[in-house]
Amino acid sequence: MTQIFSPEGLAIPVTVVQAGPCTVTQIKTQATDGYNAIQLGYLPTTEKHLTRAQRGHLSKAGVTELLRHLREFRVDQPEAYQLGQKITVEMFSPGQLVDVAGTSIGRGFAGYQKRHHFGRGPMSHGSKNHRRPGSIGAGTTPGRVFPGMRMAGRLGGGRVTTRKLQVVQVDPERDLLVIKGCVPGVEGGLLEITPAKQVGNKR
């Protein structure tokens, strides 16, 4: 992350993302696969990092270079794409809203306060309930802990989607996207950037 300054002199926190170029490695249609989608490959690599099946898949698609990461994206018009076509940051424009998905930073085993934002117990008057969980259910009835009870456990390290982030700048020459705010995951992590979808209440 860094910051840039608007023409009005306001500091805008941004994340600079190396986005592509990505290569179309597979095209799925309603007639052949039951839905419309394209598969994109990213990050050139060597043979030792791919299995024979992965190398065969890329060879069948006619892709000349070996690609490390493959991801599938739903599209409305798959006929608009061709195998081997390059997808670059030029498909985005400044001011556009995007959804960014990635793997969040793993925090290891975390307690109730850090993982679920529970409040703590009293710290004085002889209380020994400071960071304990409290009741996790009734006794005889039902006599068990219901599934989904929020308890201590591993925090982070899962897929997270941050919605409706704004594209501030697009640099086609260096394949860079400058996105307002922060994105999920560690520096150098893999991200999926798509045009924002309207989810939930439209207000």
Side-chain angles (χ1 to χ4, degrees), residues 11-28:
I12 303 175
V14 296
T15 304
V16 182
V17 179
Q18 179 75 42
C22 298
T23 305
V24 178
T25 56
Q26 188 178 9
I27 300 176
K28 295 188 175 182

Side-chain angles (χ1 to χ4, degrees), residues 1 9-10 15-16 24 75-76 81 83 128 142 147 150 152 170 183 193-195 197:
M1 289 192 68
L10 300 176
T15 304
V16 182
V24 178
V75 294
D76 295 328
Y81 301 89
L83 288 176
K128 297 180 180 179
R150 294 181 296 171
V170 178
V183 299
I193 304 174
T194 57
K197 294 187 294 186

Side-chain angles (χ1 to χ4, degrees), residues 41-178:
Y42 174 66
L43 195 60
T45 185
T46 57
E47 286 191 6
K48 69 176 183 178
H49 290 123
L50 299 179
T51 64
R52 289 179 60 188
Q54 291 171 327
R55 296 198 299 268
H57 173 72
L58 294 173
S59 175
K60 180 181 178 181
V63 179
T64 56
E65 58 182 352
L66 300 178
L67 300 170
R68 185 73 177 269
H69 303 288
L70 301 179
R71 292 294 185 273
E72 190 174 286
F73 298 89
R74 294 291 186 102
V75 294
D76 295 328
Q77 297 177 333
E79 62 275 4
Y81 301 89
Q82 298 178 352
L83 288 176
Q85 178 182 346
K86 297 290 185 179
I87 306 296
T88 65
V89 295
E90 294 178 344
M91 67 173 294
F92 299 103
S93 58
Q96 181 179 358
L97 298 180
V98 295
D99 294 340
V100 182
T103 301
S104 63
I105 298 175
R107 304 291 183 182
F109 192 97
Y112 304 87
Q113 280 76 18
K114 184 174 181 179
R115 191 182 190 204
H116 299 296
H117 310 291
F118 281 11
R120 61 166 174 80
M123 300 300 289
S124 61
H125 299 287
S127 172
K128 297 180 180 179
N129 176 29
H130 304 316
R131 297 177 69 88
R132 292 182 176 180
S135 173
I136 59 173
T140 304
T141 303
R144 64 189 179 93
V145 179
F146 285 123
M149 176 64 62
R150 294 181 296 171
M151 304 182 77
R154 291 184 62 176
L155 173 62
R159 182 182 173 85
V160 173
T161 301
T162 305
R163 301 191 182 278
K164 296 185 179 180
L165 297 178
Q166 186 179 21
V167 176
V168 180
Q169 293 179 5
V170 178
D171 187 348
E173 296 180 358
R174 294 182 291 178
D175 296 309
L176 297 179
L177 278 180
V178 180

